[in-house]
PDB file of all heavy atoms in Angstrom:
ATOM      1  N   CYS A  44       7.376  -0.232  -2.534  1.00 98.00           N
ATOM      2  CA  CYS A  44       6.878  -1.375  -1.765  1.00 98.00           C
ATOM      3  C   CYS A  44       7.965  -1.642  -0.630  1.00 98.00           C
ATOM      4  O   CYS A  44       9.199  -1.682  -0.883  1.00 98.00           O
ATOM      5  CB  CYS A  44       6.836  -2.565  -2.581  1.00 98.00           C
ATOM      6  SG  CYS A  44       6.514  -4.124  -1.754  1.00 98.00           S
ATOM      7  N   ALA A  46       8.461  -4.158   1.054  1.00 97.00           N
ATOM      8  CA  ALA A  46       8.973  -5.532   0.970  1.00 97.00           C
ATOM      9  C   ALA A  46      10.032  -5.768  -0.038  1.00 97.00           C
ATOM     10  O   ALA A  46      11.062  -6.355   0.158  1.00 97.00           O
ATOM     11  CB  ALA A  46       7.825  -6.508   0.746  1.00 97.00           C
ATOM     12  N   CYS A  47       9.871  -5.132  -1.297  1.00 97.00           N
ATOM     13  CA  CYS A  47      10.730  -5.429  -2.375  1.00 97.00           C
ATOM     14  C   CYS A  47      11.322  -4.184  -3.131  1.00 97.00           C
ATOM     15  O   CYS A  47      12.216  -4.380  -3.964  1.00 97.00           O
ATOM     16  CB  CYS A  47      10.065  -6.325  -3.451  1.00 97.00           C
ATOM     17  SG  CYS A  47       8.838  -5.368  -4.362  1.00 97.00           S
ATOM     18  N   ASN A  49       9.700  -2.144  -5.121  1.00 98.00           N
ATOM     19  CA  ASN A  49       9.051  -1.808  -6.368  1.00 98.00           C
ATOM     20  C   ASN A  49       8.431  -0.435  -6.316  1.00 98.00           C
ATOM     21  O   ASN A  49       7.696  -0.194  -5.279  1.00 98.00           O
ATOM     22  CB  ASN A  49       8.001  -2.950  -6.656  1.00 98.00           C
ATOM     23  CG  ASN A  49       7.292  -2.713  -8.028  1.00 98.00           C
ATOM     24  OD1 ASN A  49       7.846  -2.233  -8.914  1.00 98.00           O
ATOM     25  ND2 ASN A  49       6.001  -3.272  -7.994  1.00 98.00           N
ATOM     26  N   CYS A  92       1.418  -5.809  -4.349  1.00 98.00           N
ATOM     27  CA  CYS A  92       2.509  -5.409  -5.164  1.00 98.00           C
ATOM     28  C   CYS A  92       2.665  -6.269  -6.292  1.00 98.00           C
ATOM     29  O   CYS A  92       2.650  -7.542  -6.134  1.00 98.00           O
ATOM     30  CB  CYS A  92       3.753  -5.467  -4.341  1.00 98.00           C
ATOM     31  SG  CYS A  92       5.295  -5.226  -5.209  1.00 98.00           S
ATOM     32  N   ASN A  94       5.144  -6.969  -8.058  1.00 97.00           N
ATOM     33  CA  ASN A  94       6.419  -7.601  -8.147  1.00 97.00           C
ATOM     34  C   ASN A  94       6.550  -8.682  -7.145  1.00 97.00           C
ATOM     35  O   ASN A  94       6.970  -9.867  -7.515  1.00 97.00           O
ATOM     36  CB  ASN A  94       7.502  -6.625  -7.906  1.00 97.00           C
ATOM     37  CG  ASN A  94       8.891  -7.197  -8.111  1.00 97.00           C
ATOM     38  OD1 ASN A  94       9.156  -7.825  -9.039  1.00 97.00           O
ATOM     39  ND2 ASN A  94       9.697  -6.913  -7.160  1.00 97.00           N
ATOM     40  N   CYS A  95       6.113  -8.489  -5.852  1.00 97.00           N
ATOM     41  CA  CYS A  95       6.330  -9.526  -4.845  1.00 97.00           C
ATOM     42  C   CYS A  95       5.041 -10.110  -4.318  1.00 97.00           C
ATOM     43  O   CYS A  95       5.050 -11.060  -3.538  1.00 97.00           O
ATOM     44  CB  CYS A  95       7.238  -8.975  -3.767  1.00 97.00           C
ATOM     45  SG  CYS A  95       6.402  -7.771  -2.687  1.00 97.00           S
TER      46      CYS A  95
HETATM   47 ZN1   ZN B   1       6.752  -5.588  -3.485  1.00 63.56          ZN
END
Side-chain angles (χ1 to χ4, degrees):
C44 173
C47 75
N49 186 29
C92 173
N94 185 46
C95 71

